[in-house]
Amino acid sequence: MSLTQIRPVAQHQSPPPTPGRAKLWLHRFDNKTIPYVLISPFFILFAVFGIFPIIFNGVVAARNWRLDDPDRTGWAGAGNFTRLLQDEDFWNALGNTFGIFILSSVPQLLMALILASLLNRKLRATTWWRIGVLLPYLTPVVASTLVFSVFFNRDSGMANWFLSLVGFGQETPLDWRAEKWSSWIAIATMVNWKWIGYNALLYLSAMQTIPKDVYEAAAVDGAGPWRQLWQITVPMIQPVVVFTVILSTIGGLQLFNEPMMFDENPQSASGGSDHQFQTIAQLIYKVGWKDLDMGYAAAMSWALFLIILIVAGVNTLLTKRIGGDR
Amino acid sequence: MERLGRRGFLTVAAALAATLVVSGCSGEKLEGDSSNNKGAGAVTLKVNFWGDMGLDQLKAKYEAAHPNVKIVLNSGEYNAQHEDLQKKLIAGSGVPDISAVDEGFIIQFRSQADKFVNYLDKGGAEFESRYLPWKWKQSLSTDGKQIGLGTDVGGLAIAYRTDLFQKAGLPTDREAVSKLWTTWDDFINVGKRYTEKTGKKFVDSGTNMFNPVLAQQPAGFYNEQEQLTMDGGPKVAFDTSIKAIQAGISANLVSFQPGWDQGFKKDQFAVLPCPAWMLGHIQKTAPDQKGKWDIATVPGGGGNWGGSFWTVPAAGKNVDAAVDFVKWLVQPEQQIEVFKTVGNLPSQPALYKDPAVLNFKHEFMNNAPTGQIFASTAENLKPQFLGKKNGPTRVAVENVITRVQQGKLKPEDAWAEAVKEAEKVAKSAQN
Amino acid sequence: MTTFANRAPQDTPGSWKTYLGLTIALLVAAFPVYWMFVIATSTDAAVSQIPPSVIPGGEFLNNAREVFTLQQVYFAASLINSFIVASVTTAATLFFCSLAGFAFAKLRFRGRNALMVVVILTLTVPTQLGVVALYIVMGKLQWNGTLLAVIAPGLVSAFGVFYMRQFIAHAVPDELVESARIDGANTMRVYRSIILPAIRPALAVLGLLTFVMAWNEFQWPLIQLNGTEFPTSMVALSDLASGNYVIYRRVLAGAFLATVPLIVLLLAGGRQLVRGIMEGAVKS
């Protein structure tokens, strides 16, 4: 937006006189009530469809409810929650979730920024490039997880074939699912593959609205595209960056599909033979639908909710601090 | 996008509203049904299952004989169907009239027996004598309610590669091979011979040995008082699979994963614990191996892997009609029909004398009389009590075996670890 | 040496490094999709082939025919149903979320910040039991088993509101709104004349992402439409995976067919996307 488009501020400070009470009422309505009208569709929908599931979840978390033991009912109070503190599976899953989260979100967003900047040039065949990078996001989960499952196969997967090219794992091919570090990398790769294009598109749409004179005005001699990207472009799209940080935090901590599909026995939801890549969402699924302990699963999902709140809050503050508050 | 004038807004809003109304009306409502009562006594039965249970022809036959009954078949993904049933049971609505439940999930649902029709209340007691005893017991709840009428069983035999056996100097005729391994220790020894001779692995996975052995034991993970009893049957089964892994005869693959599929082609294993329903998969995955496979009996004589039941959720709208249909489905005539069309083995031993089963020869598997072989393994299995936590406990112990296979756990430490994991599962049931 | 900093990147033609980076990105992004197509055009044995087959087979029509004619999968209908669900959801989302985002970004009202936080919070709500609870709610409304039940919860998304708010906050200067106000424009006038033109790129992006999200949704449509004669595409895909073991060539053929409409949409709307985004830029 060019500065020349702003009209000079009018000299008179008060609005022109409003003739008649009807007009006055309309004006007040417009100012005071319309905002609430505009945001109401979301809240109405949420009140109808969102509140009950939350209450349901809350009530269930405070009760004993096991699908395989109909006799065990009644209020558990905080029992389900205190059980969490001593549950080593829970803490293990928490560690896994964080590990995978860091491995996926940080490189993902950085690469998305770089990719967006590449796309933000005068290019030939622009549409094709954009479609191309969005393909992972379009692909149904069932297809992409099969492909990666084969890719990370121990005996004949392509990942191990690549590794063998650089001399790795000649004697015994790497079993990606066997260790924490390898399974985390594999899952993070799947997640990054899916979401980089998506985030790049969000960044790109924001980058394209940066006014050109910002670049002209910020003349820094000898600066290459790298500096330009990090010193001018990224700070200018900070709100969208914050947005993606929050979203990828929420999504990353709730990671479910990829660990489920990476399991060699998907329906066991064990996250590996030693729970090496079991995320919290996966553990909640297992506790609720496999161990049939609904009360405990509900309590665990509240714990996850709390964790997401805290981490997303921290991440937001960090991002705002780094980007300079706006 | 052009500037939307006010007219534009109104058009969009109107279009939206119209579509919402249309989509609301275009639904065939699952409850509050008017469709079920068109005409006197007209009934629609919705059947949930997975794969092909031979229902297409049977449906036509039943509808012809019962003009007031319409049957709607809903085949879905194996796990999704069971989860769907569980969720609808919780919600108390939207249940199908009839739901197939697999052996892997039957314990979960028999613990919720009050949500299903008890066949014993609907004249089902007469069926008990017709079924394999262990099959009848599987769907019987602890307070004596029968929620399932069995349809098929998997049986369990050992499929083996005749060409690979020949290369290793082993006999290839199925009678001779069956004699080679009447016990599991013999089986492991044959495996060692094979591996030493050829340098390749013998069996596809240690866990695929654990389950058959466990099923043959008189007692499983839990006794009838729902207490964990690891030292009996589970220890025998566990030790067998660890022995197999230590003998280096396991290819350490996981069933039905792409790696396992590839294992067929790469000759990574020569034998495979195989139920009746797996034959189709072998055929499709390795079509060029036709005639190179054969079937022998399983060590220990009896075995079963898989099989399903027909259940009728109590919240359904047409419970009596549904029960009638199920009772018809499990009649000998229909069960033989299913065997002929899709190869599912019936769970009623009397049918094993039927010529269709007795004389059946499987072309791909070197014309083996698979009907007879699988039937005899199903017959020879003794009933074993399965506790409520059988499923999760089994998964936990299987994970320990996998860890040994992956080299993350030493065989000496494995048993203690297995007990620890099993106790964790059992304890979580007490909380 | 060119001082890049003086020229906006949108005006800088891509260098060979740019194209190299983009090509690598495209290869990485597209290869799994390509392999999916390979399996979808092959026989059963191809999934387990070693080395993995990279050349498409000739079975696509065969597999596709199976997908479409498999009884009780209703694949063709599922594509149409997905289209209905996704379109309605997208139209509603664009409409309601842009209004709400505008309100949160540019209007002043009591509780604005607190309510915005609530909107974001709804994104973090645990969902494991959500499907069952929502099914119960729909039961009370008697909407179970209809497309309406599938569409309704998604009409206004917190994601959309949040995204619009961020974008409007960033792309529309306060002064522009102020000066319009001073000229006597009411709120809706401001929305129509000032906000809408400025957020074209965001609308294009949000529209696209919402459409894809609605199209690929699985859990909720599954519990609603399982067993009906009008599933959505992902539900139909799940039915294709029916059986004791998954027949991958069928599932992937179905997955490929279910993705094609999205690609077509992207191609058709892509020009619009590019133009919309470019116009948004030119305006400044």
Side-chain angles (χ1 to χ4, degrees):
Chain A
M1 174 226 56
S2 156
L3 287 170
T4 54
Q5 275 194 321
I6 295 182
R7 306 251 204 98
V9 176
Q11 285 313 308
H12 51 88
Q13 297 300 327
S14 52
T18 52
R21 297 193 73 198
K23 264 265 164 89
L24 184 67
W25 182 87
L26 255 169
H27 185 76
R28 278 238 191 87
F29 179 82
D30 185 75
N31 262 349
K32 295 213 187 304
T33 329
I34 283 264
Y36 295 104
V37 169
L38 294 186
I39 67 172
S40 60
F42 173 78
F43 288 101
I44 294 175
L45 214 68
F46 183 70
V48 176
F49 296 121
I51 295 274
F52 178 73
I54 295 181
I55 298 178
F56 186 82
N57 210 16
V59 168
V60 171
R63 286 182 71 82
N64 283 318
W65 181 19
R66 319 185 61 109
L67 293 175
D68 57 355
D69 204 345
D71 300 324
R72 203 182 281 265
T73 50
W75 293 99
N80 285 325
F81 292 95
T82 48
R83 204 172 132 195
L84 276 178
L85 298 173
Q86 294 146 335
D87 187 355
E88 57 179 29
D89 281 343
F90 176 71
W91 294 105
N92 175 52
L94 195 60
N96 292 342
T97 310
F98 269 104
I100 298 177
F101 166 63
I102 295 186
L103 278 181
S104 54
S105 51
V106 173
Q108 186 193 127
L109 296 184
L110 290 177
M111 286 199 266
L113 279 170
I114 297 175
L115 184 59
S117 75
L118 290 180
L119 287 170
N120 192 26
R121 304 241 181 263
K122 229 155 67 180
L123 293 173
R124 309 260 202 87
T126 19
T127 322
W128 293 103
W129 294 114
R130 290 166 203 225
I131 295 180
V133 304
L134 261 192
L135 276 179
Y137 183 64
L138 304 183
T139 316
V141 162
V142 62
S144 55
T145 43
L146 166 68
V147 171
F148 277 105
S149 171
V150 173
F151 184 79
F152 284 111
N153 240 350
R154 185 190 67 207
D155 294 325
S156 39
M158 261 187 265
N160 279 346
W161 180 72
F162 282 132
L163 284 184
S164 70
L165 289 181
V166 290
F168 235 63
Q170 298 283 32
E171 336 75 45
T172 34
L174 176 63
D175 186 354
W176 289 86
R177 293 166 173 87
E179 301 292 339
K180 274 202 197 240
W181 68 269
S182 53
S183 56
W184 288 11
I185 291 180
I187 295 180
T189 307
M190 288 192 250
V191 174
N192 290 342
W193 176 81
K194 181 161 185 204
W195 295 98
I196 287 183
Y198 169 94
N199 284 315
L201 192 65
L202 292 178
Y203 293 147
L204 177 64
S205 68
M207 283 180 187
Q208 301 245 301
T209 55
I210 299 177
K212 301 193 187 186
D213 45 6
V214 169
Y215 292 99
E216 287 157 22
V220 177
D221 281 326
W226 187 257
R227 287 246 323 250
Q228 185 188 55
L229 172 65
W230 297 108
Q231 292 203 328
I232 306 176
T233 316
V234 172
M236 286 295 291
I237 62 168
Q238 200 237 35
V240 178
V241 174
V242 168
F243 172 72
T244 57
V245 164
I246 295 181
L247 279 193
S248 70
T249 304
I250 296 174
L253 294 176
Q254 288 179 336
L255 195 64
F256 178 73
N257 280 323
E258 281 78 6
M260 281 292 282
M261 297 297 180
F262 198 55
D263 237 331
E264 288 205 282
N265 184 5
Q267 280 315 305
S268 66
S270 338
S273 56
D274 203 3
H275 309 302
Q276 52 268 30
F277 54 87
Q278 186 180 51
T279 58
I280 302 240
Q282 191 178 18
L283 181 60
I284 294 174
Y285 173 87
K286 170 178 169 290
V287 167
W289 301 111
K290 297 296 161 189
D291 298 341
L292 309 172
D293 192 347
M294 290 276 148
Y296 192 41
M300 214 183 282
S301 39
W302 280 111
L304 178 60
F305 169 66
L306 221 69
I307 294 169
I308 293 178
L309 275 187
I310 298 174
V311 177
V314 167
N315 272 356
T316 314
L317 284 170
L318 280 179
T319 320
K320 284 206 170 136
R321 190 77 56 82
I322 294 181
D325 215 327
R326 192 141 137 88
Chain B
M1 194 167 102
E2 321 300 87
R3 280 160 90 105
L4 273 186
R6 173 181 267 137
R7 222 181 291 141
F9 266 178
L10 292 179
T11 338
V12 170
L16 254 178
T19 335
L20 277 177
V21 168
V22 165
S23 52
C25 295
S26 71
E28 191 187 297
K29 299 209 164 112
L30 290 185
E31 53 237 323
D33 51 339
S34 44
S35 53
N36 274 349
N37 297 322
K38 293 206 183 78
V43 151
T44 306
L45 292 179
K46 183 145 163 263
V47 183
N48 276 8
F49 61 101
W50 60 93
D52 190 353
M53 297 196 170
L55 290 180
D56 291 323
Q57 289 99 316
L58 293 182
K59 156 187 146 117
K61 209 163 131 196
Y62 193 80
E63 281 177 344
H66 300 80
N68 62 326
V69 176
K70 180 162 179 289
I71 297 172
V72 173
L73 297 179
N74 172 30
S75 175
E77 195 265 320
Y78 172 77
N79 288 294
Q81 291 290 57
H82 289 101
E83 248 188 68
D84 185 75
L85 177 63
Q86 178 64 78
K87 289 178 181 162
K88 303 272 167 70
L89 286 180
I90 297 178
S93 69
V95 292
D97 294 294
I98 298 169
S99 184
V101 173
D102 188 68
E103 180 190 59
F105 286 91
I106 192 65
I107 298 177
Q108 168 178 344
F109 288 112
R110 82 176 190 206
S111 303
Q112 304 168 61
D114 52 327
K115 299 218 167 71
F116 290 92
V117 163
N118 179 2
Y119 284 109
L120 297 176
D121 289 339
K122 304 270 179 190
E126 57 174 74
F127 286 93
E128 179 167 357
S129 52
R130 292 203 227 166
Y131 276 98
L132 293 163
W134 57 264
K135 181 78 177 173
W136 181 261
K137 250 186 112 173
Q138 270 185 340
S139 52
L140 198 63
S141 78
T142 42
D143 50 351
K145 299 201 181 104
Q146 181 55 272
I147 65 162
L149 282 183
T151 161
D152 68 318
V153 286
L156 191 66
I158 306 278
Y160 66 96
R161 286 278 297 274
T162 50
D163 57 330
L164 296 179
F165 266 36
Q166 200 173 32
K167 285 206 199 109
L170 292 168
T172 55
D173 165 73
R174 65 183 82 96
E175 300 264 326
V177 171
S178 303
K179 288 215 184 65
L180 274 185
W181 53 55
T182 43
T183 69
W184 287 100
D185 279 335
D186 291 339
F187 183 80
I188 297 180
N189 287 335
V190 173
K192 277 203 242 175
R193 266 172 66 191
Y194 176 86
T195 306
E196 270 158 34
K197 192 79 197 290
T198 63
K200 293 205 244 233
K201 303 293 184 190
F202 186 60
V203 70
D204 64 335
S205 147
T207 49
N208 277 349
M209 286 182 58
F210 175 73
N211 287 314
V213 178
L214 180 62
Q216 290 168 348
Q217 306 304 313
F221 284 114
Y222 293 88
N223 63 19
E224 309 239 347
Q225 289 78 38
E226 295 284 348
Q227 290 161 327
L228 185 66
T229 52
M230 288 294 282
D231 281 322
K235 182 148 208 311
V236 173
F238 192 82
D239 286 342
T240 312
S241 41
I242 298 293
K243 236 196 283 186
I245 298 173
Q246 278 180 299
I249 62 173
S250 163
N252 300 345
L253 296 168
V254 178
S255 311
F256 301 112
Q257 294 304 309
W260 184 76
D261 283 344
Q262 284 167 341
F264 281 94
K265 301 211 171 111
K266 288 165 76 169
D267 299 343
Q268 276 183 305
F269 47 86
V271 304
L272 183 64
C274 171
W277 46 264
M278 204 193 274
L279 295 175
H281 185 65
I282 301 180
Q283 253 180 284
K284 293 230 180 79
T285 310
D288 50 326
Q289 288 175 0
K290 178 170 176 177
K292 295 196 189 152
W293 284 93
D294 209 326
I295 304 267
T297 53
V298 63
N304 182 65
W305 181 354
S308 2
F309 302 82
W310 291 115
T311 66
V312 176
K317 302 252 178 275
N318 306 293
V319 158
D320 290 320
V323 171
D324 286 340
F325 183 53
V326 170
K327 284 191 189 166
W328 180 83
L329 275 178
V330 300
Q331 294 301 326
E333 208 183 315
Q334 276 67 258
Q335 292 274 290
I336 292 292
E337 183 78 28
V338 170
F339 176 76
K340 287 197 195 145
T341 44
V342 289
N344 286 348
L345 194 67
S347 37
Q348 297 167 44
L351 298 179
Y352 299 157
K353 313 265 188 316
D354 187 295
V357 176
L358 215 52
N359 300 336
F360 181 75
K361 303 232 182 306
H362 201 286
E363 213 187 303
F364 188 87
M365 310 300 276
N366 211 19
N367 285 321
T370 50
Q372 268 179 39
I373 299 181
F374 286 115
S376 72
T377 61
E379 271 183 303
N380 290 334
L381 197 60
K382 305 280 174 295
Q384 188 192 81
F385 178 77
L386 296 170
K388 277 191 233 181
K389 286 286 171 205
N390 189 70
T393 314
R394 203 198 71 221
V395 169
V397 173
E398 276 176 4
N399 276 340
V400 174
I401 298 177
T402 308
R403 277 155 68 188
V404 176
Q405 281 186 164
Q406 286 172 330
K408 288 166 54 169
L409 190 60
K410 291 212 202 66
E412 315 79 85
D413 304 327
W415 177 244
E417 196 56 27
V419 172
K420 180 169 139 230
E421 293 291 323
E423 280 175 355
K424 233 177 25 182
V425 176
K427 204 167 101 80
S428 74
Q430 307 306 322
N431 280 332
Chain C
M1 169 176 132
T2 335
T3 47
F4 282 102
N6 284 336
R7 237 190 326 166
Q10 299 96 299
D11 294 333
T12 332
S15 67
W16 68 268
K17 284 194 238 169
T18 314
Y19 282 105
L20 179 65
L22 283 178
T23 312
I24 296 178
L26 189 64
L27 283 178
V28 170
F31 185 71
V33 178
Y34 174 72
W35 193 75
M36 165 177 117
F37 178 69
V38 168
I39 299 299
T41 56
S42 309
T43 58
D44 282 307
V47 179
S48 36
Q49 214 162 292
I50 322 114
S53 49
V54 282
I55 304 177
E59 299 288 323
F60 185 67
L61 286 180
N62 246 357
N63 293 339
R65 191 171 20 98
E66 255 184 62
V67 165
F68 277 110
T69 57
L70 220 53
Q71 272 204 340
Q72 299 125 25
V73 171
Y74 306 112
F75 197 77
S78 77
L79 293 177
I80 299 177
N81 288 320
S82 274
F83 188 76
I84 296 177
V85 171
S87 315
V88 174
T89 307
T90 306
T93 300
L94 286 179
F95 183 63
F96 290 121
C97 291
S98 59
L99 286 174
F102 162 54
F104 276 118
K106 291 298 170 197
L107 301 180
R108 264 176 235 111
F109 53 98
R110 195 117 51 113
R112 177 176 82 164
N113 287 335
L115 286 173
M116 187 64 219
V117 170
V118 171
V119 170
I120 300 179
L121 281 187
T122 65
L123 284 172
T124 64
V125 162
T127 52
Q128 298 307 318
L129 300 187
V131 158
V132 179
L134 194 53
Y135 191 82
I136 297 176
V137 170
M138 289 296 176
K140 299 274 188 289
L141 288 170
Q142 297 263 324
W143 285 359
N144 272 330
T146 62
L147 278 185
L148 181 57
V150 174
I151 296 175
L155 287 173
V156 194
S157 74
F159 165 71
V161 173
F162 188 19
Y163 175 61
M164 278 294 154
R165 187 242 175 226
Q166 295 299 92
F167 196 90
I168 294 175
H170 144 81
V172 180
D174 288 334
E175 297 84 353
L176 212 54
V177 177
E178 285 303 315
S179 66
R181 288 270 195 205
I182 287 167
D183 285 347
N186 69 15
T187 312
M188 291 314 290
R189 191 69 203 280
V190 172
Y191 174 74
R192 276 212 308 278
S193 320
I194 311 276
I195 305 289
L196 271 191
I199 59 173
R200 257 185 246 145
L203 285 175
V205 167
L206 182 62
L208 176 72
L209 295 181
T210 307
F211 194 91
V212 173
M213 236 191 290
W215 184 278
N216 282 342
E217 212 200 336
F218 176 61
Q219 281 296 339
W220 178 237
L222 182 65
I223 194 176
Q224 279 296 332
L225 302 176
N226 181 27
T228 59
E229 284 168 24
F230 41 93
T232 57
S233 57
M234 296 296 125
V235 176
L237 261 192
S238 165
D239 282 354
L240 277 180
S242 168
N244 281 319
Y245 36 82
V246 181
I247 302 180
Y248 286 115
R249 60 175 170 84
R250 227 191 256 162
V251 173
L252 290 187
F256 183 76
L257 288 168
T259 314
V260 161
L262 293 179
I263 299 182
V264 166
L265 180 85
L266 204 43
L267 275 174
R271 296 278 150 75
Q272 289 300 319
L273 219 111
V274 172
R275 195 159 21 112
I277 294 181
M278 291 310 291
E279 263 170 51
V282 164
K283 211 181 175 243
S284 354

